[in-house]
Amino acid sequence: MKSKVAFILSIISFVGVLSFLGLWVFGSMKLSVVSLDTFVGVVVALLAIIFTILVGWQIINAIEMRDKISVLEKRQNELIENERLLAENDILHTKESYNFQAGLCISNADSYIAKNMFLEAFTFYHSALLYSILSDQPNQSNSINQMQLTIPYITAKNLKNVETFKLQIVSDTDKIRKTISYRNCLSVIYDKTMADFWHKMRELGISMPN
């Protein structure tokens, strides 16, 4: 398109120049001296034509540039939208994974309850709370309620691999306290539950980590 316009403008300019040159030549064939006013008029007319062509050319360039910018902006917006959709999909898949982990932890905790292994059950209910928070599940306090119900049944008779489970509980506690759910609504009941848990552990001779 641009090359065709350039060719047309070139022809117009060339024809215009030839036309004024012809008028000047045929007008000067008389046996008279060309006046300064006539010469200046012809030059000014030619300059006006050239200037008009240049202005038109710049306008065409500006229009084409605007169209190109519009196309680039459209492509950029499409890329941004695709990135947003990919990010949303990543978040969705991550939450689905956390939701699955929460369900798995609850199943493990229930299984330990059936075996009278209450420290293990508490640990898995605690991990289930963390994953339910990360997956934005409703009723996140359900896991805390299960933790509270489990604490009284933890006794010295069913304590095994205490240090391993204690490290897991400490790690999950640190992650839970960094979440928005903890700061906004769970802090009071969660801290009370954990205080009861560590009080119980101290009664069994297991110290709370510093």
Side-chain angles (χ1 to χ4, degrees):
M1 176 64 184
K2 188 174 181 180
S3 60
K4 291 182 179 179
V5 173
F7 179 71
I8 293 172
L9 291 176
S10 299
I11 292 176
I12 294 173
S13 177
F14 181 71
V15 171
V17 171
L18 289 180
S19 299
F20 279 95
L21 182 61
L23 292 174
W24 179 74
V25 170
F26 289 113
S28 63
M29 289 180 66
K30 299 178 181 179
L31 296 176
S32 60
V33 179
V34 178
S35 66
L36 181 60
D37 293 339
T38 302
F39 180 77
V40 171
V42 172
V43 171
V44 170
L46 290 174
L47 291 177
I49 292 175
I50 294 173
F51 178 77
T52 302
I53 293 173
L54 290 176
V55 171
W57 180 250
Q58 292 300 321
I59 291 174
I60 293 172
N61 285 336
I63 293 173
E64 289 189 354
M65 184 62 66
R66 184 188 63 185
D67 292 340
K68 289 180 180 179
I69 292 174
S70 178
V71 171
L72 290 175
E73 288 179 349
K74 182 178 179 181
R75 291 179 180 175
Q76 184 178 20
N77 291 334
E78 290 175 351
L79 290 174
I80 293 173
E81 179 65 15
N82 288 336
E83 290 178 357
R84 185 186 66 80
L85 292 175
L86 288 174
E88 288 183 353
N89 287 334
D90 287 342
I91 293 173
L92 179 61
H93 291 319
T94 300
K95 288 185 177 181
E96 289 176 349
S97 175
Y98 287 145
N99 186 61
F100 175 77
Q101 290 291 336
L104 186 61
C105 287
I106 291 174
S107 296
N108 287 334
D110 292 341
S111 175
Y112 281 119
I113 289 289
K115 299 175 184 177
N116 294 324
M117 302 172 69
F118 296 101
L119 175 59
E120 290 84 348
F122 179 92
T123 303
F124 277 96
Y125 281 135
H126 189 242
S127 295
L129 171 63
L130 171 61
Y131 288 119
S132 67
I133 292 174
L134 295 177
S135 61
D136 289 334
Q137 287 184 6
N139 301 322
Q140 296 170 2
S141 60
N142 287 345
S143 293
I144 298 179
N145 294 334
Q146 293 294 330
M147 291 160 58
Q148 291 174 334
L149 294 173
T150 305
I151 292 173
Y153 296 97
I154 300 175
T155 64
K157 295 181 180 180
N158 51 40
L159 288 181
K160 296 179 181 179
N161 300 320
V162 176
E163 292 301 319
T164 299
F165 291 106
K166 186 170 72 172
L167 290 175
Q168 182 64 45
I169 291 170
V170 171
S171 175
D172 289 344
T173 297
D174 181 62
K175 295 173 183 177
I176 288 172
R177 286 176 172 163
K178 292 178 180 178
T179 63
I180 296 176
S181 292
Y182 170 81
R183 292 195 297 269
N184 289 347
C185 57
L186 297 179
S187 59
V188 175
I189 185 173
Y190 176 78
D191 289 342
K192 174 64 169 57
T193 301
M194 295 309 295
D196 293 341
F197 170 76
W198 289 114
H199 177 74
K200 180 72 172 184
M201 298 303 287
R202 284 194 298 271
E203 289 181 344
L204 299 176
I206 301 171
S207 61
M208 178 180 178
N210 297 325

